Every structure is written in structure tokens, then in C-alpha cells.
Amino acid sequence: MSTTSEITKRRTFAIISHPDAGKTTLTEKLLLFGGAIQTAGAVKSNKIKKTATSDFMEIEKQRGISVATSVMVFDYKGVRVNLLDTPGHKDFAEDTYRTLTAVDSVILVIDCAKGVEAQTERLMEVCRMRNTPVIVFINKMDREGRDPFDLLEEIEEKLFIKLRPLAWPIGMGSTFKGVYNLHEKTLNLFQVSKTTIAKEKISINNLDDPALVAEIGERATASLKDDVELIEGLFEPFDQGLYEDALLAPVFFGSGVNNFGVQELLDTFIEIAPKPAPRITDKREVLPTEDKFSGFVFKIHANLDPRHRDRIAFLRVCSGVFERNKFFHHVRLNKNFKFANPYTFLAQDKTVIEEAYPGDVIGLYDTGNFKIGDTLSEGENFFFKGIPSFSPELFKEVVNADPMKSKQLEKGLMQLTDEGVAQLFVQKIGNRKIIGTVGELQFEVIQHRLLNEYGASCNYHHMNYYKACWLTTTDKKRLEEFIQRKSNQILYDKDENPVFMADSEWTLRTQKDNFPEITFHTTSEFKIALPAV
Ligand code: G4P
């Protein structure tokens, strides 16, 4: 098969949601309908959790929270589907944001009773920043939820995107019977089955088919016809171009747990979801069809095997063909590396691959050479842009609890922060180390992993910072003056960039007013363009 046809058949996406909306369940069901697994158990079944979702880390097993991001690959109707799992817990949101840099589209799951929630808005903001095409899946229709038209209105308003329903629910809660496929104009009614794909009850392609009334009754049929008429009047027809430009989101309804609406979603997804897209670097745009290989690391995962301190760097292939045992150029380190065992994943099932194409995500064994954002190429020096690192929201000073283990603590902190578990800032005076995270849980993860993987123990001192601001300027002198004046609030990140720790929104505003020559960045995106020192 030619490289172009390999690229054309790939769809790389992530499922995202506010915790509990049903992301894990939908992931399992897509794997089930995609033929990647044979049965899906109740979500809490450990067996299924282990095989269908990422569950690499010991801590995750202990807490039952999906900390990891893994890749699930399956072939469905001639399409290679790369599904990138994202952690459900909000404390690991930054992991999700980074994963979004490696996909070409997303499916956003919304709970029909809760509508748009806080994390839904934040995730959508990240998708908007990157113009990522979105499909909305409104889940849990087997429960009493909000009116579908009200939900659509709320989503359009709060997520700033135009919608177009491509499936429509018949009833809701106890009267929920299935979904009508507005795209194909067909209706499949499934028998409820939580574990396997049940045979469809009826399949019709015309709302006047008497089989419909016989199956769902006159009232439900009349109400479905009214809804369909209303939708066709209210919403513009689906426009593939607007969807690919992230200006229009198709909407599906269903019940992941009962398999309703999943087939419609998957079938439409493989038809409309975008193929691997070009990527922007600091030098130029890179097209997937270019001959030469390039890719970037968006995630580093440690401790797949707790007996070894091995790490896996997840790399998204952006152009050309990745080949096993071929030397590639690590741009930041200016060194060439080859990889004897590049992996593709089906959760914990790893398979060594010979080649990978644009859109694919591969796992590379790493002994500490990779950082998030690193680029591999066939010689050209550029960095892929848009791998975000947001200002942390919580800050703590790390205090060594075992002076005999200070080297281990130092090493552990360096490696864990390379993985993006947290960000490390150092105060030059006294060499104080402050870590910043977006969630309280990460502090516990770090403490746990430092002890288990590095034999180092630490305590924390809470720091009352509001935001970390990276500084750039057009006036070097003024920046030096600022750094001197605010020396007790100036820390350095791992690349030796000065960072101002603002203790309140007010302080930050005042400093911005006093030093208009300085730009205060609350994302480290600006760094990506620069080779780190
Ligand atoms: P998440 O990954 O987005 O956090 O959500 P997850 O799939 O884990 O689902 C969260 C809860 O919602 C689970 O219930 C799950 O069973 C339930 N759920 C998912 N999809 C549906 C649906 O379509 N209908 C209904 N009624 N419930 C759904 P739980 O009580 O936390 O777990 P469990 O005991 O049911 O396994």
C-alpha cells in the first residue's frame, strides 16, 4: 500500500468529557463495535478496565482513577482508528490538553442530565485554540435528562460552536427506545445489552414504515416525525468543510452503557472524521505526505514495569514513514537515535512495529533522552508548535525528608517533571525547589512515585502563589531591573527561563502596569519555538 493511502485511511482522535459523563464507557463500546474487544463489562469490572483502558500505573490501580493516557488501535471498515485515551480526573487535565495536540479530531461526551460542565468548557477552549474538529455525543439518554433542544441551545451558547444533530433520540429515560440516524435516514433499534452487541430489533429507512409504529407506538412515532421536521427547519444541513474547520459540530445522542447510538456514532465518525492534518512548526508547515519522517513527543509514561525504571515516550508521526532501527534526528539534543522496539498499543498489549505512518502514535523506549515537546526528524531542525504547558495553579516547596537520599530526590524530581507530571521551578538563593501542578492529586502521585521508584521521601510546604508567569521583553535592561527588584518572587524553570510567581491577580496586574515592556505569559507555549538550552 502506498504511503498516501496509508495516511488517508488513518483517523486519530480522543474522547474527552467532564469526569463521569461516560468517556470510559464509550471508549469500551467503540472498541466493542470496532471489533477490538469481544465483551465489555460494567465499567467498574477490573478485567475490562485493565484491557480496555490504560491502567499502567500502580497508583492508578490503587485509586481506580485513569491517570494514564494510552493509545488504542483498531481497524474498522478499512479505516485505521487510533483512539487516544485521556485521563478522566480533572487533576490530570494538563495531560489531556497535551494529548489533544496529537489528535486530528475529538468526540466530546456530555451527560444529558448535566449538560455543559466546567471541564467541558475548558476542554472545548483547548480544542478551539487548535481548531480541532469536534463531534458531540450526548450520553445517558436512558436516564431522565434535559430536553434535547434545550441541551443543543446550551451547548451552542456555552461552547461557542454551531451544532448540527446527525442522530435524534426517541424518547428519554424510561421511554428511551433508540436513535434515529438523521445522516443516513435510518433507524436501528437495539435490544438493551450492556456487554455485547445485541441484534438490532428493526431497521427501517423511512419514517412512514408501518414497522416503526408497530415497534415504538403511535405517540413516539408522531413525536419523532415532529422533531425531525423541526430539526430540518432549525439547523443547516451538515457541512463537512465547516466541521473540518471546527466551526460546526455534528451531534449524536445515545446511551453508551446500553449500546444505543454507538454504531451510528462510529459509522459516521469513520466517514467524516478528518485524516491526518498538516502540523505547524517554528520554521514551516509540515505536510503528512512529505517524504521525510517527522514527529513529536506529547506524553512520557513511566513505570510500565515497576521493576525497571523504564519510560515510554509517545510520539505522534506527522510526516513520512517512521521505521524501526533507522536513525532519526533528535532536534533538541542534536543527536541521532534509532529505536529497536517501537511499539503500538492496545492498552497493555504492546506490539513491535516495523513502520508507522502520519496519524499513528508510537511508543518509544526511553532512558531519559526525551522531554515533552521534543521533535524527531530526518535531519531538519524544527520544533512542532502548540504543545501547551499552562501555568500551574497549586504550588508546593519540596522538602527532603531523608538527607541520605538527596541525590535520588533530585533525580526523581527531574525525571518526573520531564514526564510532565508537574512543573519544577527553582529559586536560585538556597536552591529551593517548588513544584506546580493543576491538581492536588499530582502532589500525592509525586510523593508516591518518589518513594517507590527512587527511594526518596519528601514533605511539602504550601506556597501561596497565584500564577507562574514566564517573562519576555523587548527591553533587556528593564527585565533585569524587574528580576532584581522582585528577586524573592523570581524562580527559574527547567530551561533556566525566569518565571515570576505572582501571589495574586492584583499583584500581577500591578506589575504589568509598572513594567509595560515586559510580557507576562501564563502558558509556556512561547518556549516551544526556541530550542531549549
Ligand atoms: P468517565 O470515564 O467519563 O468518568 O465516565 P464512565 O464511563 O466511568 O461513567 C461514569 C458513570 O456513568 C458510570 O457509573 C457508568 O456506568 C455510567 N454511565 C456511562 N454511560 C452511561 C449511560 O449511557 N447511561 C447510564 N445510565 N449510565 C452511564 P458508575 O456508577 O460510576 O459505575 P458503574 O457502577 O455503573 O460501573
Side-chain angles (χ1 to χ4, degrees):
M1 200 183 262
S2 73
T3 307
T4 313
S5 48
E6 288 287 356
I7 298 169
T8 315
K9 73 173 212 187
R10 277 160 169 78
R11 304 288 180 278
T12 304
F13 78 111
I15 304 180
I16 52 176
S17 77
H18 188 91
D20 260 3
K23 182 178 67 63
T24 312
T25 311
L26 184 64
T27 302
E28 285 182 2
K29 294 308 168 83
L30 288 177
L31 294 179
L32 183 70
F33 278 84
I37 54 171
Q38 300 314 314
T39 55
V43 177
K44 288 251 166 68
S45 155
N46 270 340
K47 213 171 109 234
I48 293 299
K49 267 243 159 190
K50 264 186 217 150
T51 52
T53 66
S54 48
D55 197 1
F56 296 135
M57 282 168 60
E58 186 59 29
I59 191 148
E60 182 184 18
K61 285 177 201 150
Q62 287 173 8
R63 293 172 192 277
I65 298 162
S66 178
V67 175
T69 297
S70 73
V71 192
M72 285 158 269
V73 185
F74 61 94
D75 289 315
Y76 181 72
K77 297 191 175 169
V79 170
R80 166 65 52 94
V81 181
N82 293 317
L83 167 52
L84 275 56
D85 190 21
T86 54
H89 198 283
K90 71 167 178 30
D91 284 8
F92 295 90
E94 211 175 336
D95 230 13
T96 302
Y97 302 154
R98 283 193 290 256
T99 298
L100 292 182
T101 63
V103 301
D104 298 302
S105 71
V106 302
I107 294 179
L108 173 66
V109 183
I110 291 177
D111 181 328
C112 72
K114 298 203 173 127
V116 173
E117 297 175 83
Q119 193 59 12
T120 328
E121 289 186 75
R122 230 164 289 143
L123 287 162
M124 200 47 205
E125 216 172 287
V126 178
C127 290
R128 256 200 317 275
M129 272 162 62
R130 311 183 45 80
N131 291 329
T132 309
V134 177
I135 293 179
V136 175
F137 183 74
I138 300 181
N139 192 29
K140 304 199 184 179
M141 292 302 292
D142 58 300
R143 286 204 185 146
E144 295 305 329
R146 312 235 309 264
D147 173 72
F149 285 105
D150 287 352
L151 276 169
L152 295 183
E153 202 179 314
E154 180 189 87
I155 297 168
E156 283 199 332
E157 248 169 48
K158 289 196 174 161
L159 301 185
F160 306 102
I161 188 151
K162 280 191 92 56
L163 299 178
R164 163 72 216 195
L166 289 187
W168 197 252
I170 303 168
M172 178 183 277
S174 55
T175 63
F176 181 59
K177 297 205 163 61
V179 288
Y180 176 60
N181 187 335
L182 289 155
H183 192 52
E184 305 280 336
K185 304 213 175 346
T186 57
L187 174 77
N188 289 320
L189 293 174
F190 288 102
Q191 263 151 354
V192 173
S193 171
K194 290 194 182 191
T195 52
T196 52
I197 304 170
K199 262 193 147 155
E200 58 198 51
K201 263 185 172 171
I202 64 161
S203 180
I204 58 157
N205 50 21
N206 175 358
L207 288 184
D208 294 319
D209 191 323
L212 181 60
V213 179
E215 191 57 48
I216 67 173
E218 267 179 28
R219 254 179 73 185
T221 306
S223 150
L224 174 63
K225 282 185 182 169
D226 284 351
D227 283 354
V228 170
E229 206 180 299
L230 200 56
I231 292 158
E232 299 306 339
L234 272 177
F235 296 92
E236 302 268 327
F238 174 67
D239 183 309
Q240 177 75 22
L242 289 179
Y243 159 63
E244 285 185 24
D245 290 342
L247 297 170
L248 179 82
V251 181
F252 290 82
F253 289 84
S255 162
V257 82
N258 294 313
N259 294 341
F260 282 125
V262 179
Q263 183 90 57
E264 286 78 0
L265 177 68
L266 182 58
D267 283 346
T268 314
F269 170 82
I270 59 159
E271 190 192 318
I272 67 171
K275 299 172 202 49
R279 303 267 145 177
I280 319 266
T281 72
D282 58 332
K283 301 268 166 60
R284 63 183 186 85
E285 188 177 66
V286 172
L287 301 176
T289 46
E290 288 179 22
D291 286 343
K292 293 207 164 147
F293 159 78
S294 68
F296 66 89
V297 172
F298 63 94
K299 159 109 194 138
I300 293 175
H301 205 319
N303 199 19
L304 283 136
D305 180 351
R307 284 165 302 163
H308 305 110
R309 198 180 294 146
D310 54 356
R311 316 203 298 176
I312 285 202
F314 287 81
L315 177 130
R316 148 95 193 202
V317 180
C318 298
S319 68
V321 183
F322 175 93
E323 285 170 62
R324 184 160 95 97
N325 280 328
K326 180 169 174 176
F327 275 100
F328 291 117
H329 182 59
H330 187 314
V331 178
R332 180 176 55 86
L333 298 182
N334 193 22
K335 269 189 185 169
N336 291 339
F337 289 89
K338 66 175 179 172
F339 303 89
N341 294 309
Y343 280 110
T344 183
F345 295 84
L346 176 61
Q348 281 181 316
D349 280 344
K350 300 188 286 261
T351 320
V352 174
I353 44 138
E354 293 299 325
E355 319 181 303
Y357 295 90
D360 284 342
V361 168
I362 51 174
L364 304 174
Y365 268 118
D366 176 36
T367 48
N369 292 312
F370 284 117
K371 275 192 198 183
I372 284 167
D374 276 344
T375 295
L376 275 187
S377 74
E378 259 188 89
E380 200 176 336
N381 284 321
F382 54 64
F383 285 93
F384 286 96
K385 288 177 85 167
I387 296 120
S389 178
F390 296 94
S391 166
E393 281 157 26
L394 301 167
F395 300 87
K396 288 184 185 184
E397 182 185 353
V398 180
V399 183
N400 189 357
D402 182 355
M404 303 297 286
K405 297 281 171 65
S406 50
K407 269 205 172 132
Q408 285 88 332
L409 181 72
E410 183 106 1
K411 185 168 183 194
L413 277 177
M414 290 314 251
Q415 293 205 341
L416 294 181
T417 49
D418 269 359
E419 280 175 35
V421 180
Q423 294 179 53
L424 178 67
F425 304 96
V426 177
Q427 188 162 39
K428 294 244 157 126
I429 309 152
N431 195 27
R432 292 169 72 199
K433 293 190 172 50
I434 282 115
I435 51 175
T437 71
V438 291
E440 197 61 51
L441 195 52
Q442 276 135 315
F443 291 108
E444 285 177 51
V445 171
I446 289 171
Q447 215 166 24
H448 175 101
R449 289 189 54 189
L450 281 172
L451 192 62
N452 280 276
E453 295 168 38
Y454 300 87
S457 52
C458 73
N459 296 316
Y460 294 122
H461 268 331
H462 177 77
M463 304 296 291
N464 222 357
Y465 295 138
Y466 156 72
K467 281 250 155 78
C469 306
W470 285 268
L471 310 167
T472 54
T473 185
T474 45
D475 186 339
K476 241 180 136 189
K477 263 216 155 111
R478 282 290 278 169
L479 180 60
E480 277 165 18
E481 194 187 321
F482 177 77
I483 290 175
Q484 210 161 40
R485 251 208 248 170
K486 293 278 151 203
S487 63
N488 56 348
Q489 275 168 276
I490 297 289
L491 271 56
Y492 289 82
D493 72 7
K494 285 177 88 173
D495 299 323
E496 294 283 323
N497 294 301
V499 182
F500 173 61
M501 298 294 184
D503 45 28
S504 69
E505 199 182 339
W506 182 83
T507 331
L508 182 56
R509 218 175 319 124
T510 316
Q511 298 312 325
K512 280 181 180 171
D513 289 346
N514 291 348
F515 291 87
E517 311 81 356
I518 298 175
T519 314
F520 296 77
H521 304 264
T522 50
T523 76
S524 63
E525 171 95 332
F526 76 99
K527 283 197 302 180
I528 302 298
L530 311 168
V533 275

PDB file of all heavy atoms in Angstrom, residues 438-457:
ATOM      1  N   VAL A 438      -1.702  21.288  38.402  1.00  0.00           N
ATOM      2  CA  VAL A 438      -3.063  21.809  38.246  1.00  0.00           C
ATOM      3  C   VAL A 438      -4.022  21.127  39.219  1.00  0.00           C
ATOM      4  O   VAL A 438      -5.165  21.525  39.343  1.00  0.00           O
ATOM      5  CB  VAL A 438      -3.611  21.673  36.799  1.00  0.00           C
ATOM      6  CG1 VAL A 438      -2.886  22.589  35.851  1.00  0.00           C
ATOM      7  CG2 VAL A 438      -3.552  20.239  36.314  1.00  0.00           C
ATOM      8  N   GLY A 439      -3.568  20.096  39.912  1.00  0.00           N
ATOM      9  CA  GLY A 439      -4.467  19.410  40.844  1.00  0.00           C
ATOM     10  C   GLY A 439      -3.732  18.843  42.037  1.00  0.00           C
ATOM     11  O   GLY A 439      -2.562  18.471  41.949  1.00  0.00           O
ATOM     12  N   GLU A 440      -4.408  18.798  43.151  1.00  0.00           N
ATOM     13  CA  GLU A 440      -3.850  18.332  44.416  1.00  0.00           C
ATOM     14  C   GLU A 440      -3.307  16.896  44.305  1.00  0.00           C
ATOM     15  O   GLU A 440      -2.279  16.553  44.885  1.00  0.00           O
ATOM     16  CB  GLU A 440      -4.977  18.400  45.465  1.00  0.00           C
ATOM     17  CG  GLU A 440      -4.551  18.354  46.905  1.00  0.00           C
ATOM     18  CD  GLU A 440      -3.636  19.497  47.316  1.00  0.00           C
ATOM     19  OE1 GLU A 440      -3.971  20.686  47.058  1.00  0.00           O
ATOM     20  OE2 GLU A 440      -2.577  19.194  47.882  1.00  0.00           O
ATOM     21  N   LEU A 441      -4.006  16.070  43.522  1.00  0.00           N
ATOM     22  CA  LEU A 441      -3.653  14.666  43.418  1.00  0.00           C
ATOM     23  C   LEU A 441      -2.234  14.431  42.893  1.00  0.00           C
ATOM     24  O   LEU A 441      -1.566  13.475  43.291  1.00  0.00           O
ATOM     25  CB  LEU A 441      -4.675  13.985  42.490  1.00  0.00           C
ATOM     26  CG  LEU A 441      -4.733  12.465  42.483  1.00  0.00           C
ATOM     27  CD1 LEU A 441      -4.872  11.917  43.890  1.00  0.00           C
ATOM     28  CD2 LEU A 441      -5.918  12.026  41.634  1.00  0.00           C
ATOM     29  N   GLN A 442      -1.772  15.331  42.029  1.00  0.00           N
ATOM     30  CA  GLN A 442      -0.441  15.130  41.474  1.00  0.00           C
ATOM     31  C   GLN A 442       0.652  15.174  42.550  1.00  0.00           C
ATOM     32  O   GLN A 442       1.665  14.507  42.421  1.00  0.00           O
ATOM     33  CB  GLN A 442      -0.134  16.178  40.399  1.00  0.00           C
ATOM     34  CG  GLN A 442      -0.676  15.781  39.062  1.00  0.00           C
ATOM     35  CD  GLN A 442      -1.363  16.937  38.406  1.00  0.00           C
ATOM     36  OE1 GLN A 442      -2.139  17.644  39.049  1.00  0.00           O
ATOM     37  NE2 GLN A 442      -1.101  17.146  37.144  1.00  0.00           N
ATOM     38  N   PHE A 443       0.413  15.972  43.608  1.00  0.00           N
ATOM     39  CA  PHE A 443       1.408  16.017  44.685  1.00  0.00           C
ATOM     40  C   PHE A 443       1.531  14.641  45.337  1.00  0.00           C
ATOM     41  O   PHE A 443       2.617  14.187  45.675  1.00  0.00           O
ATOM     42  CB  PHE A 443       1.029  17.067  45.729  1.00  0.00           C
ATOM     43  CG  PHE A 443       1.157  18.473  45.210  1.00  0.00           C
ATOM     44  CD1 PHE A 443       0.035  19.236  44.939  1.00  0.00           C
ATOM     45  CD2 PHE A 443       2.410  19.029  44.983  1.00  0.00           C
ATOM     46  CE1 PHE A 443       0.146  20.521  44.440  1.00  0.00           C
ATOM     47  CE2 PHE A 443       2.543  20.321  44.496  1.00  0.00           C
ATOM     48  CZ  PHE A 443       1.404  21.076  44.224  1.00  0.00           C
ATOM     49  N   GLU A 444       0.382  13.986  45.485  1.00  0.00           N
ATOM     50  CA  GLU A 444       0.405  12.645  46.083  1.00  0.00           C
ATOM     51  C   GLU A 444       1.077  11.653  45.145  1.00  0.00           C
ATOM     52  O   GLU A 444       1.818  10.785  45.580  1.00  0.00           O
ATOM     53  CB  GLU A 444      -1.022  12.167  46.357  1.00  0.00           C
ATOM     54  CG  GLU A 444      -1.653  12.845  47.547  1.00  0.00           C
ATOM     55  CD  GLU A 444      -3.087  12.389  47.726  1.00  0.00           C
ATOM     56  OE1 GLU A 444      -3.311  11.169  47.743  1.00  0.00           O
ATOM     57  OE2 GLU A 444      -3.970  13.263  47.819  1.00  0.00           O
ATOM     58  N   VAL A 445       0.779  11.794  43.838  1.00  0.00           N
ATOM     59  CA  VAL A 445       1.398  10.899  42.848  1.00  0.00           C
ATOM     60  C   VAL A 445       2.919  11.040  42.927  1.00  0.00           C
ATOM     61  O   VAL A 445       3.656  10.048  42.957  1.00  0.00           O
ATOM     62  CB  VAL A 445       0.902  11.227  41.418  1.00  0.00           C
ATOM     63  CG1 VAL A 445       1.709  10.462  40.376  1.00  0.00           C
ATOM     64  CG2 VAL A 445      -0.577  10.894  41.268  1.00  0.00           C
ATOM     65  N   ILE A 446       3.387  12.277  43.003  1.00  0.00           N
ATOM     66  CA  ILE A 446       4.837  12.523  43.025  1.00  0.00           C
ATOM     67  C   ILE A 446       5.463  11.926  44.285  1.00  0.00           C
ATOM     68  O   ILE A 446       6.478  11.235  44.217  1.00  0.00           O
ATOM     69  CB  ILE A 446       5.116  14.038  42.908  1.00  0.00           C
ATOM     70  CG1 ILE A 446       4.777  14.476  41.485  1.00  0.00           C
ATOM     71  CG2 ILE A 446       6.558  14.379  43.259  1.00  0.00           C
ATOM     72  CD1 ILE A 446       4.802  15.955  41.273  1.00  0.00           C
ATOM     73  N   GLN A 447       4.815  12.174  45.425  1.00  0.00           N
ATOM     74  CA  GLN A 447       5.333  11.645  46.686  1.00  0.00           C
ATOM     75  C   GLN A 447       5.430  10.109  46.617  1.00  0.00           C
ATOM     76  O   GLN A 447       6.439   9.525  46.979  1.00  0.00           O
ATOM     77  CB  GLN A 447       4.379  12.054  47.804  1.00  0.00           C
ATOM     78  CG  GLN A 447       5.065  12.354  49.101  1.00  0.00           C
ATOM     79  CD  GLN A 447       4.111  13.063  50.045  1.00  0.00           C
ATOM     80  OE1 GLN A 447       2.892  12.959  49.941  1.00  0.00           O
ATOM     81  NE2 GLN A 447       4.675  13.791  50.993  1.00  0.00           N
ATOM     82  N   HIS A 448       4.357   9.515  46.108  1.00  0.00           N
ATOM     83  CA  HIS A 448       4.284   8.057  45.987  1.00  0.00           C
ATOM     84  C   HIS A 448       5.371   7.531  45.050  1.00  0.00           C
ATOM     85  O   HIS A 448       6.079   6.577  45.359  1.00  0.00           O
ATOM     86  CB  HIS A 448       2.884   7.693  45.468  1.00  0.00           C
ATOM     87  CG  HIS A 448       2.682   6.240  45.176  1.00  0.00           C
ATOM     88  ND1 HIS A 448       2.026   5.392  46.034  1.00  0.00           N
ATOM     89  CD2 HIS A 448       3.048   5.495  44.109  1.00  0.00           C
ATOM     90  CE1 HIS A 448       2.004   4.177  45.516  1.00  0.00           C
ATOM     91  NE2 HIS A 448       2.605   4.212  44.331  1.00  0.00           N
ATOM     92  N   ARG A 449       5.493   8.171  43.900  1.00  0.00           N
ATOM     93  CA  ARG A 449       6.451   7.670  42.918  1.00  0.00           C
ATOM     94  C   ARG A 449       7.897   7.923  43.348  1.00  0.00           C
ATOM     95  O   ARG A 449       8.780   7.109  43.079  1.00  0.00           O
ATOM     96  CB  ARG A 449       6.163   8.281  41.539  1.00  0.00           C
ATOM     97  CG  ARG A 449       4.870   7.708  40.949  1.00  0.00           C
ATOM     98  CD  ARG A 449       4.660   8.121  39.520  1.00  0.00           C
ATOM     99  NE  ARG A 449       5.804   7.797  38.675  1.00  0.00           N
ATOM    100  CZ  ARG A 449       5.935   8.221  37.423  1.00  0.00           C
ATOM    101  NH1 ARG A 449       4.978   8.971  36.885  1.00  0.00           N
ATOM    102  NH2 ARG A 449       6.974   7.894  36.719  1.00  0.00           N
ATOM    103  N   LEU A 450       8.135   9.057  44.018  1.00  0.00           N
ATOM    104  CA  LEU A 450       9.500   9.323  44.501  1.00  0.00           C
ATOM    105  C   LEU A 450       9.935   8.212  45.450  1.00  0.00           C
ATOM    106  O   LEU A 450      11.053   7.707  45.375  1.00  0.00           O
ATOM    107  CB  LEU A 450       9.557  10.676  45.217  1.00  0.00           C
ATOM    108  CG  LEU A 450       9.615  11.920  44.329  1.00  0.00           C
ATOM    109  CD1 LEU A 450       9.481  13.189  45.171  1.00  0.00           C
ATOM    110  CD2 LEU A 450      10.921  11.966  43.521  1.00  0.00           C
ATOM    111  N   LEU A 451       9.025   7.813  46.298  1.00  0.00           N
ATOM    112  CA  LEU A 451       9.339   6.788  47.282  1.00  0.00           C
ATOM    113  C   LEU A 451       9.495   5.423  46.612  1.00  0.00           C
ATOM    114  O   LEU A 451      10.474   4.710  46.833  1.00  0.00           O
ATOM    115  CB  LEU A 451       8.231   6.745  48.342  1.00  0.00           C
ATOM    116  CG  LEU A 451       8.533   5.926  49.584  1.00  0.00           C
ATOM    117  CD1 LEU A 451       9.731   6.490  50.332  1.00  0.00           C
ATOM    118  CD2 LEU A 451       7.318   5.896  50.508  1.00  0.00           C
ATOM    119  N   ASN A 452       8.526   5.070  45.753  1.00  0.00           N
ATOM    120  CA  ASN A 452       8.517   3.735  45.163  1.00  0.00           C
ATOM    121  C   ASN A 452       9.532   3.532  44.063  1.00  0.00           C
ATOM    122  O   ASN A 452      10.055   2.443  43.906  1.00  0.00           O
ATOM    123  CB  ASN A 452       7.127   3.414  44.626  1.00  0.00           C
ATOM    124  CG  ASN A 452       6.228   2.994  45.751  1.00  0.00           C
ATOM    125  OD1 ASN A 452       6.231   1.842  46.146  1.00  0.00           O
ATOM    126  ND2 ASN A 452       5.503   3.944  46.302  1.00  0.00           N
ATOM    127  N   GLU A 453       9.790   4.551  43.294  1.00  0.00           N
ATOM    128  CA  GLU A 453      10.691   4.377  42.162  1.00  0.00           C
ATOM    129  C   GLU A 453      12.102   4.877  42.433  1.00  0.00           C
ATOM    130  O   GLU A 453      13.039   4.451  41.786  1.00  0.00           O
ATOM    131  CB  GLU A 453      10.122   5.095  40.924  1.00  0.00           C
ATOM    132  CG  GLU A 453       8.824   4.476  40.438  1.00  0.00           C
ATOM    133  CD  GLU A 453       8.119   5.349  39.427  1.00  0.00           C
ATOM    134  OE1 GLU A 453       8.806   5.969  38.591  1.00  0.00           O
ATOM    135  OE2 GLU A 453       6.874   5.435  39.481  1.00  0.00           O
ATOM    136  N   TYR A 454      12.232   5.837  43.348  1.00  0.00           N
ATOM    137  CA  TYR A 454      13.562   6.429  43.571  1.00  0.00           C
ATOM    138  C   TYR A 454      14.056   6.255  45.016  1.00  0.00           C
ATOM    139  O   TYR A 454      15.159   6.645  45.341  1.00  0.00           O
ATOM    140  CB  TYR A 454      13.539   7.925  43.208  1.00  0.00           C
ATOM    141  CG  TYR A 454      13.178   8.162  41.759  1.00  0.00           C
ATOM    142  CD1 TYR A 454      11.854   8.277  41.359  1.00  0.00           C
ATOM    143  CD2 TYR A 454      14.171   8.242  40.777  1.00  0.00           C
ATOM    144  CE1 TYR A 454      11.519   8.469  40.030  1.00  0.00           C
ATOM    145  CE2 TYR A 454      13.850   8.428  39.451  1.00  0.00           C
ATOM    146  CZ  TYR A 454      12.519   8.542  39.076  1.00  0.00           C
ATOM    147  OH  TYR A 454      12.197   8.719  37.749  1.00  0.00           O
ATOM    148  N   GLY A 455      13.204   5.736  45.873  1.00  0.00           N
ATOM    149  CA  GLY A 455      13.580   5.543  47.271  1.00  0.00           C
ATOM    150  C   GLY A 455      13.778   6.853  48.020  1.00  0.00           C
ATOM    151  O   GLY A 455      14.480   6.906  49.022  1.00  0.00           O
ATOM    152  N   ALA A 456      13.175   7.930  47.527  1.00  0.00           N
ATOM    153  CA  ALA A 456      13.350   9.238  48.172  1.00  0.00           C
ATOM    154  C   ALA A 456      12.045   9.668  48.827  1.00  0.00           C
ATOM    155  O   ALA A 456      10.978   9.472  48.255  1.00  0.00           O
ATOM    156  CB  ALA A 456      13.765  10.269  47.123  1.00  0.00           C
ATOM    157  N   SER A 457      12.140  10.217  50.016  1.00  0.00           N
ATOM    158  CA  SER A 457      10.888  10.687  50.625  1.00  0.00           C
ATOM    159  C   SER A 457      10.939  12.199  50.802  1.00  0.00           C
ATOM    160  O   SER A 457      11.999  12.791  51.026  1.00  0.00           O
ATOM    161  CB  SER A 457      10.605   9.979  51.944  1.00  0.00           C
ATOM    162  OG  SER A 457      11.725  10.070  52.766  1.00  0.00           O
TER     163      SER A 457
END
